[in-house]
Every structure is written in C-alpha cells, then in structure tokens.
Amino acid sequence: MVVAGGRLNNTISAASDLRVRAAALSAGFRAMIAADMARDAGRTGLWAPVAFGAGAAAYLTMAREPAFWLAPLLMAAAIALAARVERWRPAAMAAALAAAGFASADLRTAMVGAPILAGDTGFVTVAGRIASVDEAAKQRRLVIDVHSVSSLAPEATPARVRLSWRGKAFNARPGDVVSVRAKLSPPPPPVAPGGFDFARQLYFQRIGAVGFMVTPPWVDENAPHSTRHRIAAAVEGARVALARRIMAKAPGDGGAIVAAVITGKREGVSQKAEAALRDSGLAHLLAISGLHMGLATGLIFFTVRGALALNEALALRYPIKKWAALAALFSGAGYLVLSGGAWSAQRAFIMSSIMFAAILNDRRALSLRNVAIAALVILAMRPEAVLHPGFQMSFAAVTALIAAYEWASRRADPNRSFTTLARARRYVVGVAATDTIAALATAPYSLFHFNRAANFGLPANVISIPVMGFWVMPAAIIALALTPLGLDGPAWRAAAAGVEAILTVATWTSSLPGAVSVVAHWPGAALALVTLGGLWLCLMAGRWRIAGIAALPAAVVMSAYTPRTDIFIADGGDNVGVVMARANSSESAREFVLYDRRRSRFAATAWKEFAGMDTRRAPTGRLADVARCDDGGCAAIVKTARVAVSNAPQGFDDDCARADLVIALYPVDPDARRACPATVLDRRAAWREGAHAITIGRDGKLAIRSVAAARGQRPWTAARAG
C-alpha cells in the first residue's frame, strides 16, 4: 500500500508539474503575442492595400453582378462599427477598406462598360481612329477606336476592336482615322475552366471584338483631330517610330528586346527568345519593371549629381542632391510615357517617384510604406490590376526585397570593411540575395498563372543583371540622348550586343536538364493562402511573422490533393484533349493526346500546361495512337472510365451502350440524349457553356466543369451569356 501510494503521489506530482509547465508556456506564448501586437501596432497601415485589393478581387471573381448598394452599405456599417467600438476598430477599418475596393471595382466596371460583339461576323467595314500599333516580324496588331461597323447597329458597336494584319506594310499611323475590311469575333473566353480570362482583360481596355483585316487601312486625310487625339497620337507615334528605329539600327532579337525595354513594344521579339528568357528566369527583363525604371532614373540621378558636384561652389551652396532627384523624377515620367504605362511600369514609376519625393523632403527613400502607397494608388485607379499576373509578381518581388533588406539593415555590422574587395564581395552577395528573394517571392504566381518555374534563374540573373545595369541601360540612355542628332546607331548596337550576351546565357541556362519545373494548375485558394502568408511574413516585424511560412506547405498540400483534369473539350465542341497514362508505366508517366491535331493548337498548349506537362519536351500525340478509332470516332479507357469520342451520329447508340462518357462532336437530339444511359456532352453544350474540363475519380465518377459556370454572368461574359 505504501508503494502504491508513493507511485500515486509521484503521478500526481508529475501531472502537476506538466500543468505548471503548460501554464508557463501558455503565459509565455500569450506574452510574446501581446509584445508582437504592440510592436506591430504601427504597421497596420501597410495592410490597407491588401484589404482594398481583397475587396476588388472579391468583386471581380463573383459569379453574378452584385446589387449596387451592397458595397456602400457594408462600408457605412464598418465605419460605424469602427467609430463606436474601439476594440474592433482595426478589423472594422479593414472591412471598410475591403468594401471600398469592392465599390471601386464595381464603379470601374460600370465606367468602362461598352458593347461586346455577340457572335462572329462576316467581312465588315470598320471605321475609326487608330489608338495603337504593335509590330512584329510577320504581322501588325492595331487597336482602333471604333466610329462604325457595317451591319452593326450603333448600340451594338464595340467601342474598340483589336485587329491583326499579315500583309505588306502600310502608312497609317496612330491617330489616323481609317477604314478597313475585317472579320470580327467576340473576345476569346478561357480555354479551360479557371484559365486566364482574356475577355475580362480586354473588357477593361474597352475592346469588344477581335479579328483580322483583309485590306490595309484607308486613311481619311480630311478627318478632324482634337487636341486630346493629337497628343495621344503623338505619344503613340513616337513609341512606334522609336521601336522601328531601334530595330532598324540593331536588327535581330537583341535590338527587338532593347526596343521592348525602351518602348514597351514587345511584338518584335521572337518566340524562341521569349521562351529562352522565360525558362531561364529572365523574362522580367522584357517587362518595364522596377529594374529598368530604377536603372534609368538611378543613372540620371547619379550622373546629374556627379556633374553638379564637379562645381565646388555649386555643391556647397545649393541642394544638388534634390536637383538630381528632380531630374530623375522627370526622366522617370518620360520613361513611363514612352514605355506605354504597363502595370509594372506604373508601379515602378510610383515607387521611384515616392523615393525621389522623399529625397526632396529629406525623408527615408525606400520603405514598405512607400510600396503600400504605390499599390493603393494603382488599385484605386485600376482595381482590375489585382488579378493581373504582372501586378501580382511585381509587388510580390518589391515587397519581399524591401522587407528582407529592412531586416538585414538592422543586423548589419557597423564596423564592416569598405575596401574595394569587400565592396565587390558584398555586391555579388547582394545580387545573389536579391535574385533569390525575388525568385522565391514570384514563384507561386509564376506557377499559378504559367504552370512553370525556372530552376536556374539564380545563376542566370547573377550574370545578366550586371550586364543589364552596367552595359545595356547606359548604352540605351546614351542612344536616346543621341537620337535627335542622328548619331544613335552605334549606341543602339552596343545595347543590343549586351542583350545578345544575355540571350546567350538564357539559351544555355534554359537548355540544361531540369531547367524548368512544370506543375498542374493551382487552385485559386492555394494562391490566396500563399499570398496571405507571404504578406504576413513581410509586413509584420515581430517574431510571429514566422507563422507566415506555414502557408507554403499548406498551399502545396492543397494543390497536391486537388484532382487533375483528365479530359478537355474545346469551346467550339470540335476537338478533345486527353491526358493518358502511358502503357506499362507508372501513373506519373503521362502523355497528352488530341483527337484532331490540326485544330485547337493554342488551346492544346494551354491544356498541357494546365495538366502540368512541359509543352517543349512533351509532344502532343494522337488519340488514334492510344485508343481504338475509326471513321465514327474513338473509344478509350481513361483511368477507370470508358470514354467515347463520337464523330458520327450513326454510332451514337453503340457508344451510349458501351461508354460511361460520350463526347459528341456534333449536336445530339434531345430525345437521344435522354435515352442514353451514359453521360453525354455534345457540341451544343460547348457552344452554350464554353470549354469543358472533366476529372475522373478513382471510382469512375465524373466531375464536369465548364467555362460558363466558372465565369458566371458578368459584364465581360455578355457575349457568351447571350
């Protein structure tokens, strides 16, 4: 009894010790959270653009148009709660900002609203004013502000159309009033449910139709031109003329990429060069990004300041640093206009403007607060940017970089060496760290939007960024200065030579084994989770920021358990793509096959990427090579389901009797559909609901999704909905 009592006392004592330790840990954890909350209380303003952008994204991804009074009501309620209950004030203000973002996107959608072409037209006459011209080696693409379209009533006429031309060069310029013969189609919907929505992007550019011209533009020489049109035409004309001049002085991909970096005109870059840059992690060099804006304005800033510092009296008596900042600010504005003002260029300009404005006001130039201001300004002007990959990747990179360098600057050794060797070593380490941080920050968005990530981007960027900074951009700025004198040719060729060196690195890097990782399409919830975790890691300063890292494995698990699409049906209902397991291979060995390889080439590329297959190294096969096929169609086993692709109504009944799923490349009679024991998807369903994606479960159960269901009924889906 004594022994048993001793054991009982020991057990009670151990349990008591555990309770004490647990209580101490709990108290310590609560104290840490309280300390972190107090430390980060002043950083809540950094979350303002996050809340605003979340509201805008919520509006843009809704299935149906909300009531106009919803956002103002939510905003008013949130503001009232913030005013009355101090405890809930931060959450209420976040809700108010989200409601403001929601309302801003709603208002922007109404402001840009314009007719969308309901269906394909025959050859029609389009009259209007050329808004922009993009030139490639084999075609030109025009955006025309439409005055009229023959056979269309004024209320059904799109505000803008985008047309391509593959004929000989013509003399029409931006700002000219022209008429052309063209064939028009509605803006293209996504090629798969959850795919990128080109129609939504074009809607916010007020482009309601796309097509191709069959005659060159006829210019109306007597058409009137307003001051606004003259200014816009002059800017666009200068961009086109400069891009042509650069490519004429420096032929080849080197000159085309220099033209893209300076003017934003990327159409002259070959697909081979774009693929090499993309697969080597250097695609950001094609965009007018913070790198280019920073290099351009930074070179102007240091050059002007250095030149003014040569005069001792001037340097001692006047604020030459502020004068240099002002010169850089104006040069950045000029660069923004010349480059066309894409999202990344806008963000870069706003950031550089805030930086130089801070110098003018003797404030700190680089901070996360400046990033937040830049994001809020862009989202207020263009709330649709929140879903654009350029906006997401641009802000992800700059936010992560500034957060990392703020963290590193607080831990820098004040007694560090400043010898030439030490500076060079820090520069190399800094470039490597910058590239690594930017690559990690943008990788989730690259995987989500493009289903691929470059694995050797770090060495490619370590080599290429100094070339861009010390060779290409200085030569380009010198060339711009010499252009009015007609002496710019050698400088453009020097800049193009630097780009060719970068292309050599890109081509070599992208050709290495394992250069690219390809993944299946991520669910949107996984990207949202990674974004929230990354923002928590970057915007918070306390120890609890580390919790943001947990979002990445959670998103990976979420994506891994999302079923992959097995079958794709084109939106015209005339083709089918199937992901098949290779015979006598593991389940991971898959191949992509098309029923008809002559059709749906663009869609097939997107489907392969959607399925997580490398479009360069995984050729597209024929369904006939892996299934039983005849003139009436094909029959195949896809996972555990029997699938029939029917090409002739005569064989429909036999397909219904033998298959679990029948995909008919023709409209099926409603009575025949009802009599069929199999699941039927016919051409009429594709016409009505757009492209389809089908996932087959282990038990053979079919999960069918359509583009129409994924997009809902929104203003940019009007053509499909009608």
Side-chain angles (χ1 to χ4, degrees):
M1 291 293 295
V2 173
V3 172
R7 289 177 179 175
L8 179 61
N9 290 334
N10 290 337
T11 301
I12 294 173
S13 177
S16 178
D17 288 343
L18 285 175
R19 284 195 298 270
V20 170
R21 291 178 182 176
L25 286 174
S26 177
F29 181 75
R30 289 196 301 270
M32 184 192 75
I33 295 298
D36 286 346
M37 289 181 64
R39 180 179 182 180
D40 287 335
R43 300 173 72 89
T44 54
L46 300 177
W47 290 87
V50 179
F52 192 94
Y59 169 83
L60 293 167
T61 54
M62 291 183 74
R64 295 188 178 275
E65 202 66 14
F68 72 93
W69 46 263
L70 178 62
L73 180 64
L74 291 175
M75 194 186 310
I79 292 173
L81 179 63
R84 289 178 173 272
V85 184
E86 184 175 356
R87 181 180 180 183
W88 292 98
R89 187 166 295 164
M93 291 307 298
L97 282 166
F102 191 100
S104 177
D106 194 354
L107 179 62
R108 169 76 175 156
T109 301
M111 289 175 63
V112 301
I116 298 175
L117 193 66
D120 294 347
T121 69
F123 293 107
V124 295
T125 300
V126 179
R129 189 182 302 273
I130 297 179
S132 66
V133 177
D134 294 322
E135 297 180 331
K138 297 182 179 180
Q139 74 170 2
R140 293 185 181 189
R141 180 176 289 169
L142 282 69
V143 174
I144 297 178
D145 291 324
V146 177
H147 297 163
S148 65
V149 176
S150 62
S151 79
L152 289 183
E155 62 273 12
T157 301
R160 283 182 157 193
V161 299
R162 191 181 70 184
L163 303 174
S164 60
W165 167 252
R166 291 183 176 272
K168 295 181 180 180
F170 51 77
N171 294 324
R173 299 170 299 177
D176 287 344
V177 175
V178 300
S179 61
V180 301
R181 291 286 290 174
K183 189 172 184 179
L184 303 178
S185 301
V191 297
F196 185 74
D197 197 338
F198 290 99
R200 181 178 60 204
Q201 178 176 310
L202 295 179
Y203 175 87
F204 285 99
Q205 299 173 28
R206 308 196 77 219
I207 296 176
V210 297
F212 60 91
M213 302 188 303
V214 294
T215 64
W218 177 82
V219 180
D220 182 358
E221 301 291 352
N222 299 318
H225 299 274
S226 67
T227 302
R228 179 176 65 84
H229 287 139
R230 290 179 186 277
I231 294 173
V235 171
E236 183 63 21
R239 294 179 64 213
V240 172
L242 183 57
R244 289 178 183 173
R245 185 178 182 89
I246 295 170
M247 289 187 283
K249 298 289 185 182
D253 279 323
I257 292 174
V258 172
V261 168
I262 300 301
T263 68
K265 300 288 185 181
R266 299 175 51 170
E267 285 68 23
V269 183
S270 70
Q271 292 184 354
K272 181 181 178 181
E274 284 202 34
L277 290 171
R278 179 193 64 207
D279 292 342
S280 61
L282 298 175
H284 62 93
L285 298 182
L286 275 176
I288 312 297
S289 63
L291 172 65
H292 305 99
M293 185 71 73
L295 288 172
T297 56
L299 285 169
I300 296 296
F301 174 78
F302 288 112
T303 300
V304 171
R305 189 180 181 189
L308 293 175
L310 294 176
N311 188 316
E312 184 178 357
L314 201 65
L316 293 175
R317 296 179 183 177
Y318 298 98
I320 61 171
K321 182 179 178 180
K322 294 184 179 182
W323 290 0
L326 200 59
L329 192 59
F330 281 110
S331 69
Y335 188 19
L336 177 68
V337 172
L338 187 62
S339 66
W343 303 125
S344 55
Q346 292 181 26
R347 193 272 306 162
F349 173 68
I350 293 172
M351 277 294 301
S352 62
S353 298
I354 294 172
M355 180 181 71
F356 291 121
I359 292 174
L360 291 172
N361 290 279
D362 299 316
R363 302 291 295 274
R364 185 180 179 185
L366 287 173
S367 69
L368 286 171
R369 197 172 302 277
N370 294 350
V371 179
I373 293 171
L376 203 54
V377 169
I378 291 178
L379 289 174
M381 296 189 302
R382 299 286 189 270
E384 69 273 15
V386 71
L387 298 183
H388 196 281
F391 175 89
Q392 294 173 359
M393 296 177 76
S394 180
F395 273 96
V398 74
T399 301
L401 286 170
I402 292 182
Y405 281 110
E406 282 188 352
W407 177 87
S409 64
R410 291 193 293 268
R411 291 160 177 79
D413 181 6
N415 299 317
R416 60 188 180 277
S417 172
F418 286 92
T419 64
T420 302
L421 182 61
R423 288 171 183 258
R425 185 168 55 248
R426 281 199 295 271
Y427 172 79
V428 173
V429 172
V431 170
T434 296
D435 293 336
T436 302
I437 293 165
L440 290 174
T442 57
Y445 304 95
S446 179
L447 292 173
F448 178 81
H449 292 288
F450 310 115
N451 304 103
R452 61 198 303 119
N455 295 326
F456 300 132
L458 176 59
N461 277 277
V462 168
I463 298 170
S464 300
I465 286 181
V467 174
M468 180 64 72
F470 294 110
W471 182 350
V472 177
M473 288 304 291
I477 291 175
I478 292 170
L480 279 174
L482 295 175
T483 296
L485 304 176
L487 304 174
D488 52 324
W492 289 128
R493 286 189 288 274
V499 171
E500 292 290 353
I502 292 173
L503 279 176
T504 300
V505 173
T507 302
W508 174 74
T509 305
S510 62
S511 64
L512 293 173
V516 176
S517 292
V518 183
V519 299
H521 184 66
W522 278 30
L527 184 69
L529 183 61
V530 170
T531 300
L532 185 61
L535 287 169
W536 186 265
L537 180 64
C538 292
L539 300 186
M540 296 290 98
R543 287 171 292 179
W544 64 352
R545 68 190 303 178
I546 302 300
I549 298 176
L552 183 59
V556 170
V557 171
M558 185 185 298
S559 300
Y561 281 92
T562 299
R564 294 177 176 180
T565 300
D566 298 300
I567 302 173
F568 299 89
I569 303 176
D571 63 353
D574 59 352
N575 209 0
V576 177
V578 184
V579 180
M580 299 284 289
R582 290 177 182 165
N584 303 320
S585 300
S586 65
E587 187 178 350
S588 61
R590 302 175 301 148
E591 60 181 323
F592 183 82
V593 295
L594 276 179
Y595 179 76
D596 188 346
R597 289 196 300 184
R598 296 169 298 178
R599 301 175 177 174
S600 313
R601 292 183 180 180
F602 174 79
T605 300
W607 292 341
K608 289 168 72 174
E609 292 176 346
F610 221 75
M613 305 178 75
D614 192 338
T615 55
R616 296 192 310 162
R617 295 178 171 84
T620 300
R622 296 189 311 154
L623 183 58
D625 293 336
V626 295
R628 299 194 315 272
C629 296
D630 55 29
D631 292 340
C634 293
I637 302 296
V638 183
K639 285 187 174 177
T640 55
R642 295 167 297 174
V643 179
V645 179
S646 177
N647 193 37
Q650 295 81 0
F652 180 74
D653 291 339
D654 289 340
D655 290 330
C656 283
R658 300 172 183 172
D660 302 307
L661 169 67
V662 177
I663 302 171
L665 305 182
Y666 50 84
V668 175
D669 181 78
D671 292 334
R673 174 194 287 272
R674 284 190 291 269
C676 182
T679 301
V680 178
L681 289 171
D682 68 346
R683 197 164 189 174
R684 187 178 288 111
W687 289 339
R688 184 177 60 249
E689 301 173 29
H692 283 64
I694 303 161
T695 300
I696 301 172
R698 294 182 180 275
D699 56 356
K701 186 176 181 180
L702 304 175
I704 301 173
R705 295 167 291 131
S706 70
V707 164
R711 298 173 86 201
Q713 298 288 335
R714 304 305 302 275
W716 46 88
T717 67
R720 173 65 64 179

